[in-house]
Amino acid sequence: MLSRLAPARRRVVLGVLLLVVLALAGGLFAAALSRQPSSPVDQSVAGPVLLVPGYGGSTRSLDALARSLRDQGRDVTMVALPDRAQGNLDDQAKVLGAAADAALTRTGAPSVDVVGYSAGGVVARLWATEGGGSDHLRRLVTIGSPHHGTDLASLGSLVAGSCPAACQQLAPASPLLARLNAEPVPTGLVFVSLWTTLDEVVVPASSAVVDAVPSPSLQSICPGASARHGDLPSDPLVQALVGDVLNREDPPSWTAADCDRLGGAPSS
């Protein structure tokens, strides 16, 4: 077709085609760069702590944990999630991202630490893996979080109108959880998932275990630990474990020998 064009017009067409090819190549190069892992966050500098509530959005359940962390000298912010934390979990992750930006601006810190309780841990993980959080997230602790879903959400889906968006996304077979669990843990992020074998909300309780992430049950550290799901944020053992993760220079790895130091019940 080009051979039929006059030489001058042919040069114009070829020039336009060259510009298009260069633009496409530049876009592909930029996309490739955007997929490259960012530099790990400096672990030696502890910034503010964000506490993310669970399904229902109540921050009162986190009051005791907030006091414990503030007593340890940490700057703590409760994240208020929209729609009683029952709306789309991706939208909740965006709200967490905005809260992190505000905390970084307010304090001038280079990064934040995040503690997510129950579904709040899933929200935090979404922000870390898909919402750009890994650029500003130093340490992440989830407490009793249904990373692989909970059977209670599946049961709720059977009753019309009783299972909002977040509930549907927390069902074990949800597309959101399948997508999330296919994502690698961001390079350099210290991530610990804490849970109790007595959890009656996250069913099965082992749904809190995350591949390639330290995921100890309370009972693996203190065999006599008796906290259930609603007890977790106010449980002294949980508070001590969270403090260890956020405040120790080296990320901890606990054994039953740490139980007494952590203030837990060694056995019944």
Side-chain angles (χ1 to χ4, degrees):
M1 184 177 71
L2 290 176
S3 62
R4 299 176 183 175
L5 298 175
R9 180 166 295 185
R10 188 186 311 155
R11 286 194 294 272
V12 170
V13 171
L14 288 174
V16 171
L17 289 174
L18 179 60
L19 290 174
V20 170
V21 170
L22 290 174
L24 288 173
L28 291 172
F29 181 69
L33 285 178
S34 70
R35 290 194 294 269
Q36 296 300 312
S38 58
S39 300
V41 170
D42 185 354
Q43 291 291 320
S44 67
V45 181
V49 180
L50 303 181
L51 300 185
V52 188
Y55 187 83
S58 173
T59 58
R60 282 191 296 178
S61 62
L62 298 173
D63 283 345
L65 179 58
R67 285 194 299 270
S68 173
L69 291 172
R70 287 173 180 139
D71 287 345
Q72 297 167 37
R74 300 302 300 270
D75 179 300
V76 179
T77 296
M78 299 273 204
V79 179
L81 297 175
D83 302 320
R84 298 182 59 216
Q86 295 179 1
N88 189 296
L89 295 176
D90 287 316
D91 293 339
Q92 295 184 42
K94 293 176 184 176
V95 172
L96 171 57
D101 289 343
L104 293 172
T105 299
R106 175 176 58 82
T107 63
S111 64
V112 297
D113 292 339
V114 174
V115 181
Y117 169 51
S118 194
V122 178
V123 171
R125 191 175 164 203
L126 281 168
W127 175 62
T129 58
E130 299 181 355
S134 60
D135 293 337
H136 307 289
L137 180 58
R138 171 178 169 266
R139 298 189 179 181
L140 170 62
V141 186
T142 63
I143 306 170
S145 294
H147 292 290
H148 300 277
T150 171
D151 291 345
L152 293 189
S154 295
L155 292 174
S157 299
L158 298 176
V159 181
S162 66
C163 192
C167 168
Q168 296 171 35
Q169 292 171 325
L170 293 172
S174 79
L176 180 141
L177 290 180
R179 185 187 84 217
L180 178 61
N181 285 301
E183 293 279 356
V185 175
T187 302
L189 173 64
V190 175
F191 179 6
V192 176
S193 177
L194 303 172
W195 57 287
T196 174
T197 60
L198 303 177
D199 203 312
E200 74 284 17
V201 174
V202 177
V203 182
S206 59
S207 174
V209 175
V210 181
D211 290 343
V213 167
S215 304
S217 69
L218 303 187
Q219 289 76 16
S220 70
I221 302 166
C222 293
S226 59
R228 295 182 176 274
H229 188 84
D231 306 323
L232 288 170
S234 58
D235 184 76
L237 174 59
V238 172
Q239 293 175 11
L241 293 170
V242 171
D244 262 10
V245 177
L246 298 189
N247 298 323
R248 288 176 62 169
E249 182 175 350
D250 297 320
S253 176
W254 306 281
T255 67
D258 295 300
C259 184
D260 286 342
R261 174 182 67 83
L262 294 164
S267 62
S268 304

